[in-house]
Amino acid sequence: MANEIVYFNEVGASLYAVIVNNAAEAWTGSGFEAPTAEDWGSYAVAVTQQADTGIYAGSFPTGIAAGTYTVAVYQSADGTPDVSDTAVASGVIRWTGSSETAGGNVVFGYM
């Protein structure tokens, strides 16, 4: 699957997503861990602007087991993920292990 994470923002924003499980652990790209400021950059999931439109999309990692996860979108101040970045939205995704469940799209609420 692709582009399960979709968010609208101003053109040219620097956005990324962080995925958190029900134990409040963040996805590192290979597993979940208790989040730390030192490892913040490893939690960033790419969210890319689509053709200068203000529509940003990213793919939910296929290495994550089936379950329900919180996805937060952050706006980076300088283009590099940092623990001090502002969360601009969050939502929940229901994941089968390889795709969203029916009706399980991330629906973001503004922060």
Side-chain angles (χ1 to χ4, degrees):
M1 295 298 300
N3 296 333
E4 295 84 6
I5 302 166
V6 177
Y7 183 67
F8 300 88
N9 201 312
E10 64 190 7
V11 171
S14 179
L15 303 177
Y16 62 94
V18 174
I19 299 166
V20 178
N21 65 16
N22 289 334
E25 298 170 323
W27 176 252
T28 66
S30 60
F32 285 94
E33 70 176 29
T36 65
E38 295 80 25
D39 291 339
W40 190 257
S42 70
Y43 310 138
V45 174
V47 178
T48 306
Q49 184 173 213
Q50 307 300 297
D52 296 325
T53 61
I55 300 170
Y56 295 80
S59 296
F60 198 84
T62 57
I64 295 179
T68 301
Y69 298 91
T70 300
V71 179
V73 175
Y74 286 83
Q75 186 156 354
S76 175
D78 64 2
T80 302
D82 186 87
V83 72
S84 66
D85 290 336
T86 301
V88 294
S90 66
V92 173
I93 187 170
R94 291 173 191 85
W95 188 246
T96 68
S98 61
S99 65
E100 297 170 89
T101 62
N105 297 7
V106 178
V107 177
F108 289 105
Y110 289 100
M111 303 298 285

